[in-house]
């Protein structure tokens, strides 16, 4: 599955997948073959950071 390039769409997709399918961002990235740092950097550019405790970007 190709992740969206638009940061707001990416936020929605990632948080939905974290909520529904994955225990952590590491697990999601490993399963999808995505770069965790690239995802985190893109979402940080619009003001969102990953919370390990809540398993979502806030």
């Amino acid at each position: 599955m190709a992740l969206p390039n638009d940061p707001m769409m990416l936020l929605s997709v990632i948080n939905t997948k974290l909520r529904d399918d994955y225990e952590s961002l590491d697990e999601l990235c490993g399963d999808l073959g995505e770069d965790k740092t690239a995802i985190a950097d893109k979402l940080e550019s619009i003001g969102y950071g990953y919370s390990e405790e809540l398993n979502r970007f806030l």
Side-chain angles (χ1 to χ4, degrees):
M1 170 190 176
L3 293 176
N5 195 36
D6 177 82
M8 291 304 291
M9 293 297 297
L10 179 63
L11 174 67
S12 177
V13 168
I14 293 294
N15 274 343
T16 299
K17 288 192 164 297
L18 288 171
R19 182 191 68 219
D20 295 345
D21 301 321
Y22 296 99
E23 298 284 324
S24 70
L25 183 58
D26 287 326
E27 183 183 341
L28 180 148
C29 289
D31 189 45
L32 299 180
E34 295 291 337
D35 183 334
K36 177 182 172 181
T37 302
I39 290 172
D41 287 349
K42 183 170 276 192
L43 295 180
E44 284 175 12
S45 76
I46 58 168
Y48 289 83
Y50 180 65
S51 167
E52 288 185 26
E53 181 181 327
L54 298 174
N55 191 35
R56 62 182 282 195
F57 280 86
L58 304 169

